[in-house]
Amino acid sequence: MARSGSESQSVPAEVDVAVVGAGFSGLYLIYRLRELGFSVVAFDEADDVGGTWYWNRYPGARCDIPTTDYAYSFDPQLEQDWTWSEKYATQPEILAYLSHVADRYDLRPDIRFGTRITAAVWDEVGRKWQLRTSHDDEMRCRYYVMASGCLSHPKTPDIEGAGRYRGEVYLTGMWPHDRVDFSGKKVAVVGTGSSGIQCIPLIAREAAELTVFQRTPNFSVPARNGAPPPDRLAQLAEDRGGYREAARWSRGGIPVEPTDVSGVTAPADVRRQRFEDAWQVGELYAILGVFNDQGLNPVSNEFVAEMIREKIRANVSDPETADALCPKDHPFGTKRPCLDSGYFETFNLPHVRLVDLRRTPIVAITETGIDTAAESMAFDAIVFATGFDAMTGPLVSVDITGANGLTLKEKWADGPATYLGLMTTGFPNLFMITGPQSPSVLSNMVVSIEQHVDWVADCLRRLRAEDLDRIEPTPLAEAGWVQHNQDCADITLYPRANSWYMGANVPGKPRVFLPYIGGVDGYRRACQEVAENGLIGFRLDGPAGARCNDGVVRRIQPDVAIVLDMMASLGLPPMETMNVADARALAEATAASMPPGPAVGEITDAVLPGPAGDLSYRLYRPPSTGPHPLIAYFHGGGWVLGSHQSDGAFCRDLCVRTGAVVVSVNYRHAPEDRFPAAVDDAFAAVRWIAANAASLGGIPGQLAVAGWSAGGNLAAVTCQLARDAGGPAISGQLLLTAVTDSDLRRSSYAENGEGFVLTADLMRWFWEHYADEADRAHPTASPLRGTLAGLPPAVVVTAEFDPLRDEGDAYAEALAAAGVPVRQVRARGHIHTSLTMVDAVISGAPVRAQMAEALNSVWLAPVRA
Ligand code: N01
């Protein structure tokens, strides 16, 4: 190994780009930037390359992504020339690989080892960063890149008396270079995350006695380490480029086929088989992908979690120890699961003992050992495997002062705010590699690192080519990305765990989900879109002038986006080009493929008398003892599609959330029965329900009318008719993305008329089937044109990406102006159809909760009070 860079080398007065870190990110940055002709210097506190692999030298340290995938892909020749000896390489082998990379591309001359950047200040006049090193050198750079890693800032043991102990102390994240010999010693290990789980079996081999202090048991899966997997090697040999490209566009940075099997709906034998197969693979992506819904649905997750607990119980002889080792306080995967080699079996050894800190907490570390609430123990050595101040720690530990005099630490006091995890407002020309709010730790890091470095390098090249020298994200773009990150995390089970992903492992750290969970593929698409569209959301300045294509790159809810992608992939013809029978068949098939919705007390089907014959209805009764308030419900489908059964999941959800009996009534459909047939049926149904409230199990006088889309139109119209007819008494109306007007010229039609399921053309098709042009302005077709005073209190729900949004908003405003109490619920990032997709679009749940709460406050408050 030729170590040509050293701390003695001088620091240049000025470079184009200064980099912090000489791990996977820093090395590739130097390579790329140099190739583009930028002057670059990198700094690392270590005395050689390696980053995390330089510091984490504890026994058993290995990667948890197969090394066939955990390697650079930028140079095919480098790949050909390097052979990994194991499926999961050891730390020394990975370090040797990085050293080989540094030698091969002669990167060390551009690295100052043994040197930390202690402060960085943005100089707005000179448009440069002013840096100070730990040797008190000063330098300037145009661009400053923090390639400082996500798990590089070890947490100092936050245990009373930690500094007092006089024996040997080791931190897994700062392990000594010389071999540590535990032979014949009494050793304590505190912490059972990935580091603890990797080192415990090896320390147990040497130590005379090993005591493991466990606060939270962790899920771990046998790594089944060995030779690199032959199937992967074969794929790589056949088409290396194709394999790497597939990794770049995969969800986690490894090309695996995602499953479409749901844990909730799969039969027990299929669940078991899928789990056992994944257990044999020994890879995180296999066990994290047993079911497509295990990261979202607690029931599905619990199937996997319990099957892992069964394995733990089967492997650990002492039942009490086995039980203590079984994780029960967080869903599987919400803390990073571990890959182990004989971890649980280690507790069967007679000299290994588990101390469950949930039962007997550590009181203090003493001069000789550890005192728990139950006993005092003496040790020759204590190993702290207590983790890191992850993701933000390495960034805020440098004193970075931005354009407005604020430090990064101050700006992020309540949690990080970034744009694409790459930059942060107020800190021009400062880039982060695998920063918070990028996929980073939730992905194969090397794939994510290469993507980030390539994006930054391309960006700098572009700025230079366009005679620009300052780049900063706008507040709008940053706020949008932060919101999108939160939206992505909120639909998952991740926020339920006290994990380092949530910042929960560091006392006082804000509880915010730190990495981006929208996938490597989705993330890469977003970065690409930004770059291809004039760097959306970045303000650019320089000799060539200033410009900004401001905007938010992801506004749609992440699960709604998945639905849209899925529908687009089906390649179906637009519904408005179909004949009515085909359109109805498609709508029915789509409804049948949806989850059924929550369980209710009872569902019954019956008929009620309508003006032109019987009308079928389906009644959903809450499980509680009645009587209950009543909701007369009208389904969506543009007056053409659907039936009293078609919005079943939504009706169940409404029933459960409001505690009301929901009566979903059919009505005559167009084009067979055109306007006003549906109106006549709806009004007749409401009158009948009001008259028969008691026999339906309802509370007389507690009747709301509700509907979605065209059903919302009928609900609104019915309320007007009831008011004009002097009854029946309606105590509330719920209008969900309702049709309120036949004027299709509002802005929401222009903005959302295409690409969001309900298109402007489809809405025209519905109107054409439903009503003659001359009738459409009539208040019984366009309730917005009616007199609104004296109507029942209303809950009006509109969706951001719905062509009908503006007419819904207009109806809410007009109702309020007419003195009608209105609660408006605006569904951010939703489309016309997503709020009724119960259990399929999880982000709709809080909106429906708000809707139900609003409805209850509007018409049930007197009853509940
Ligand atoms: O750290 P951790 P880590 N008293 O935070 C416990 C990556 N990595 O270094 O869970 C008592 O996961 C803490 O308990 P609790 C990987 O991404 C990868 O192990 O907070 N106990 C926990 O058990 C990983 O997730 C590899 O209740 C205390 C442990 O210490 C990440 O790095 C290998 C305590 C810390 O676990 C971090 O892993 C290693 C206290 N005061 C790491 N404070 C591979 O590639 C903390 N703990 C395989």
CSV table of all heavy atoms in Angstrom, one decimal, residues 43-73:
chain,number,residue,atom,x,y,z
A,43,PHE,N,-10.3,15.9,3.3
A,43,PHE,CA,-9.7,15.9,4.6
A,43,PHE,C,-10.3,14.7,5.4
A,43,PHE,O,-11.5,14.4,5.2
A,43,PHE,CB,-10.1,17.2,5.4
A,43,PHE,CG,-9.5,18.4,4.7
A,43,PHE,CD1,-10.2,19.1,3.8
A,43,PHE,CD2,-8.3,18.8,5.1
A,43,PHE,CE1,-9.7,20.2,3.2
A,43,PHE,CE2,-7.7,19.9,4.5
A,43,PHE,CZ,-8.4,20.6,3.5
A,44,ASP,N,-9.5,14.0,6.1
A,44,ASP,CA,-10.0,12.9,7.0
A,44,ASP,C,-9.2,12.9,8.3
A,44,ASP,O,-8.0,13.0,8.2
A,44,ASP,CB,-10.0,11.6,6.3
A,44,ASP,CG,-11.0,10.6,6.9
A,44,ASP,OD1,-10.9,10.3,8.1
A,44,ASP,OD2,-11.9,10.2,6.1
A,45,GLU,N,-10.0,12.7,9.3
A,45,GLU,CA,-9.4,12.7,10.6
A,45,GLU,C,-8.5,11.4,10.8
A,45,GLU,O,-7.5,11.4,11.5
A,45,GLU,CB,-10.5,12.6,11.7
A,45,GLU,CG,-10.1,13.1,13.0
A,45,GLU,CD,-11.3,13.2,13.9
A,45,GLU,OE1,-12.5,13.1,13.5
A,45,GLU,OE2,-11.1,13.4,15.1
A,46,ALA,N,-8.9,10.4,10.1
A,46,ALA,CA,-8.1,9.1,10.1
A,46,ALA,C,-6.8,9.3,9.4
A,46,ALA,O,-6.6,10.3,8.7
A,46,ALA,CB,-8.9,8.0,9.4
A,47,ASP,N,-5.9,8.3,9.7
A,47,ASP,CA,-4.6,8.5,9.0
A,47,ASP,C,-4.5,7.6,7.7
A,47,ASP,O,-3.4,7.4,7.1
A,47,ASP,CB,-3.4,8.2,9.9
A,47,ASP,CG,-3.4,6.7,10.4
A,47,ASP,OD1,-4.2,6.0,9.9
A,47,ASP,OD2,-2.6,6.4,11.3
A,48,ASP,N,-5.7,7.2,7.3
A,48,ASP,CA,-5.7,6.5,6.0
A,48,ASP,C,-7.2,6.5,5.5
A,48,ASP,O,-8.1,6.9,6.2
A,48,ASP,CB,-5.2,5.1,6.0
A,48,ASP,CG,-4.7,4.6,4.7
A,48,ASP,OD1,-4.9,5.3,3.7
A,48,ASP,OD2,-4.3,3.4,4.6
A,49,VAL,N,-7.3,6.0,4.3
A,49,VAL,CA,-8.7,6.0,3.7
A,49,VAL,C,-9.6,4.9,4.4
A,49,VAL,O,-9.0,4.1,5.2
A,49,VAL,CB,-8.6,5.6,2.1
A,49,VAL,CG1,-7.8,6.7,1.4
A,49,VAL,CG2,-8.0,4.2,1.9
A,50,GLY,N,-10.8,4.9,4.1
A,50,GLY,CA,-11.7,3.9,4.6
A,50,GLY,C,-13.0,4.3,5.2
A,50,GLY,O,-14.0,3.6,5.3
A,51,GLY,N,-13.0,5.5,5.8
A,51,GLY,CA,-14.2,6.1,6.4
A,51,GLY,C,-14.7,5.1,7.5
A,51,GLY,O,-13.9,4.7,8.4
A,52,THR,N,-15.9,4.7,7.4
A,52,THR,CA,-16.5,3.9,8.5
A,52,THR,C,-15.7,2.6,8.6
A,52,THR,O,-15.6,2.0,9.7
A,52,THR,CB,-18.0,3.6,8.2
A,52,THR,OG1,-18.6,3.1,9.3
A,52,THR,CG2,-18.2,2.6,7.1
A,53,TRP,N,-15.1,2.1,7.5
A,53,TRP,CA,-14.4,0.8,7.6
A,53,TRP,C,-13.0,1.0,8.1
A,53,TRP,O,-12.2,0.1,8.4
A,53,TRP,CB,-14.3,0.2,6.2
A,53,TRP,CG,-15.7,-0.1,5.7
A,53,TRP,CD1,-16.5,0.5,4.8
A,53,TRP,CD2,-16.6,-1.2,6.3
A,53,TRP,NE1,-17.7,0.0,4.8
A,53,TRP,CE2,-17.8,-1.1,5.7
A,53,TRP,CE3,-16.4,-2.1,7.3
A,53,TRP,CZ2,-18.9,-1.9,6.0
A,53,TRP,CZ3,-17.4,-3.0,7.6
A,53,TRP,CH2,-18.7,-2.9,6.9
A,54,TYR,N,-12.5,2.3,8.3
A,54,TYR,CA,-11.3,2.6,8.9
A,54,TYR,C,-11.5,2.4,10.5
A,54,TYR,O,-10.7,1.9,11.2
A,54,TYR,CB,-10.8,4.0,8.6
A,54,TYR,CG,-9.6,4.4,9.4
A,54,TYR,CD1,-8.3,4.2,8.9
A,54,TYR,CD2,-9.7,5.0,10.6
A,54,TYR,CE1,-7.2,4.6,9.6
A,54,TYR,CE2,-8.6,5.4,11.3
A,54,TYR,CZ,-7.4,5.2,10.8
A,54,TYR,OH,-6.3,5.6,11.5
A,55,TRP,N,-12.6,2.9,10.9
A,55,TRP,CA,-12.8,3.0,12.4
A,55,TRP,C,-13.4,1.8,13.0
A,55,TRP,O,-13.1,1.4,14.1
A,55,TRP,CB,-13.8,4.2,12.7
A,55,TRP,CG,-13.2,5.5,12.3
A,55,TRP,CD1,-13.5,6.3,11.2
A,55,TRP,CD2,-12.2,6.3,12.9
A,55,TRP,NE1,-12.8,7.4,11.1
A,55,TRP,CE2,-11.9,7.4,12.2
A,55,TRP,CE3,-11.4,6.1,14.1
A,55,TRP,CZ2,-11.0,8.4,12.5
A,55,TRP,CZ3,-10.4,7.0,14.4
A,55,TRP,CH2,-10.2,8.2,13.7
A,56,ASN,N,-14.3,1.1,12.3
A,56,ASN,CA,-15.1,0.0,12.9
A,56,ASN,C,-14.3,-1.3,12.7
A,56,ASN,O,-14.6,-2.1,11.9
A,56,ASN,CB,-16.5,-0.1,12.3
A,56,ASN,CG,-17.4,1.0,12.8
A,56,ASN,OD1,-18.0,0.9,13.8
A,56,ASN,ND2,-17.3,2.1,12.1
A,57,ARG,N,-13.3,-1.5,13.5
A,57,ARG,CA,-12.4,-2.7,13.4
A,57,ARG,C,-12.7,-3.7,14.4
A,57,ARG,O,-11.9,-4.6,14.7
A,57,ARG,CB,-10.9,-2.2,13.6
A,57,ARG,CG,-10.5,-1.3,12.5
A,57,ARG,CD,-9.2,-0.6,12.9
A,57,ARG,NE,-8.8,0.4,11.9
A,57,ARG,CZ,-7.8,0.3,11.0
A,57,ARG,NH1,-7.1,-0.8,11.1
A,57,ARG,NH2,-7.6,1.2,10.1
A,58,TYR,N,-13.8,-3.6,15.1
A,58,TYR,CA,-14.1,-4.6,16.1
A,58,TYR,C,-14.2,-6.0,15.6
A,58,TYR,O,-14.5,-6.2,14.4
A,58,TYR,CB,-15.4,-4.2,16.8
A,58,TYR,CG,-16.6,-4.1,15.9
A,58,TYR,CD1,-17.4,-5.3,15.6
A,58,TYR,CD2,-17.0,-2.9,15.4
A,58,TYR,CE1,-18.5,-5.2,14.8
A,58,TYR,CE2,-18.1,-2.9,14.5
A,58,TYR,CZ,-18.9,-4.0,14.2
A,58,TYR,OH,-19.9,-4.0,13.4
A,59,PRO,N,-14.0,-7.0,16.4
A,59,PRO,CA,-14.1,-8.4,15.9
A,59,PRO,C,-15.4,-8.7,15.3
A,59,PRO,O,-16.4,-8.4,15.9
A,59,PRO,CB,-13.8,-9.3,17.2
A,59,PRO,CG,-13.8,-8.4,18.3
A,59,PRO,CD,-13.8,-6.9,17.9
A,60,GLY,N,-15.4,-9.3,14.1
A,60,GLY,CA,-16.7,-9.7,13.5
A,60,GLY,C,-17.3,-8.6,12.6
A,60,GLY,O,-18.3,-8.9,12.0
A,61,ALA,N,-16.6,-7.5,12.5
A,61,ALA,CA,-17.2,-6.4,11.7
A,61,ALA,C,-17.2,-6.8,10.2
A,61,ALA,O,-16.2,-7.2,9.6
A,61,ALA,CB,-16.4,-5.1,11.8
A,62,ARG,N,-18.4,-6.8,9.6
A,62,ARG,CA,-18.6,-7.1,8.2
A,62,ARG,C,-19.7,-6.2,7.7
A,62,ARG,O,-20.5,-5.7,8.4
A,62,ARG,CB,-19.1,-8.6,8.1
A,62,ARG,CG,-18.2,-9.7,8.5
A,62,ARG,CD,-18.9,-11.0,8.4
A,62,ARG,NE,-18.1,-12.0,9.0
A,62,ARG,CZ,-17.2,-12.7,8.3
A,62,ARG,NH1,-17.0,-12.5,7.0
A,62,ARG,NH2,-16.4,-13.6,8.9
A,63,CYS,N,-19.8,-6.2,6.3
A,63,CYS,CA,-20.9,-5.5,5.8
A,63,CYS,C,-22.2,-6.4,5.9
A,63,CYS,O,-22.1,-7.6,6.1
A,63,CYS,CB,-20.7,-5.2,4.3
A,63,CYS,SG,-20.2,-6.6,3.3
A,64,ASP,N,-23.4,-5.8,5.7
A,64,ASP,CA,-24.6,-6.6,5.7
A,64,ASP,C,-25.3,-6.5,4.4
A,64,ASP,O,-26.5,-6.9,4.3
A,64,ASP,CB,-25.5,-6.2,6.9
A,64,ASP,CG,-25.9,-4.7,6.9
A,64,ASP,OD1,-25.6,-4.0,5.9
A,64,ASP,OD2,-26.6,-4.3,7.8
A,65,ILE,N,-24.6,-6.1,3.4
A,65,ILE,CA,-25.1,-6.2,2.0
A,65,ILE,C,-24.1,-7.1,1.3
A,65,ILE,O,-22.9,-6.9,1.5
A,65,ILE,CB,-25.0,-4.8,1.3
A,65,ILE,CG1,-25.9,-3.8,2.1
A,65,ILE,CG2,-25.4,-4.8,-0.1
A,65,ILE,CD1,-27.4,-3.9,1.9
A,66,PRO,N,-24.5,-8.1,0.5
A,66,PRO,CA,-23.5,-8.9,-0.1
A,66,PRO,C,-22.4,-8.1,-0.9
A,66,PRO,O,-22.8,-7.1,-1.6
A,66,PRO,CB,-24.3,-9.8,-1.1
A,66,PRO,CG,-25.7,-9.7,-0.5
A,66,PRO,CD,-25.9,-8.4,0.1
A,67,THR,N,-21.2,-8.5,-0.7
A,67,THR,CA,-20.1,-7.7,-1.3
A,67,THR,C,-20.2,-7.6,-2.8
A,67,THR,O,-19.6,-6.7,-3.4
A,67,THR,CB,-18.7,-8.2,-0.8
A,67,THR,OG1,-18.8,-9.6,-0.6
A,67,THR,CG2,-18.3,-7.5,0.4
A,68,THR,N,-20.8,-8.6,-3.4
A,68,THR,CA,-21.0,-8.5,-4.9
A,68,THR,C,-21.7,-7.2,-5.2
A,68,THR,O,-21.6,-6.7,-6.3
A,68,THR,CB,-21.8,-9.7,-5.4
A,68,THR,OG1,-22.8,-10.0,-4.4
A,68,THR,CG2,-20.9,-10.9,-5.6
A,69,ASP,N,-22.6,-6.7,-4.3
A,69,ASP,CA,-23.3,-5.5,-4.5
A,69,ASP,C,-22.7,-4.3,-3.8
A,69,ASP,O,-23.0,-3.2,-4.2
A,69,ASP,CB,-24.8,-5.7,-4.1
A,69,ASP,CG,-25.5,-6.8,-4.8
A,69,ASP,OD1,-25.3,-8.0,-4.4
A,69,ASP,OD2,-26.1,-6.5,-5.9
A,70,TYR,N,-22.0,-4.6,-2.8
A,70,TYR,CA,-21.4,-3.5,-1.9
A,70,TYR,C,-20.1,-3.1,-2.5
A,70,TYR,O,-19.0,-3.3,-1.9
A,70,TYR,CB,-21.3,-4.0,-0.5
A,70,TYR,CG,-21.0,-2.9,0.5
A,70,TYR,CD1,-22.1,-2.1,1.0
A,70,TYR,CD2,-19.8,-2.8,1.1
A,70,TYR,CE1,-21.8,-1.1,1.9
A,70,TYR,CE2,-19.6,-1.8,2.1
A,70,TYR,CZ,-20.6,-1.0,2.5
A,70,TYR,OH,-20.4,0.0,3.4
A,71,ALA,N,-20.0,-2.6,-3.7
A,71,ALA,CA,-18.8,-2.3,-4.4
A,71,ALA,C,-19.1,-1.2,-5.5
A,71,ALA,O,-20.2,-1.2,-6.0
A,71,ALA,CB,-18.2,-3.5,-5.0
A,72,TYR,N,-18.0,-0.5,-5.8
A,72,TYR,CA,-18.2,0.5,-6.8
A,72,TYR,C,-18.6,-0.1,-8.2
A,72,TYR,O,-18.1,-1.2,-8.5
A,72,TYR,CB,-16.9,1.3,-7.0
A,72,TYR,CG,-16.5,2.2,-5.9
A,72,TYR,CD1,-15.2,2.0,-5.3
A,72,TYR,CD2,-17.2,3.3,-5.5
A,72,TYR,CE1,-14.8,2.9,-4.3
A,72,TYR,CE2,-16.8,4.2,-4.5
A,72,TYR,CZ,-15.6,3.9,-3.9
A,72,TYR,OH,-15.2,4.8,-2.9
A,73,SER,N,-19.3,0.6,-9.0
A,73,SER,CA,-19.6,0.1,-10.3
A,73,SER,C,-19.2,1.1,-11.4
A,73,SER,O,-19.4,0.9,-12.5
A,73,SER,CB,-21.2,-0.1,-10.4
A,73,SER,OG,-21.8,1.2,-10.4
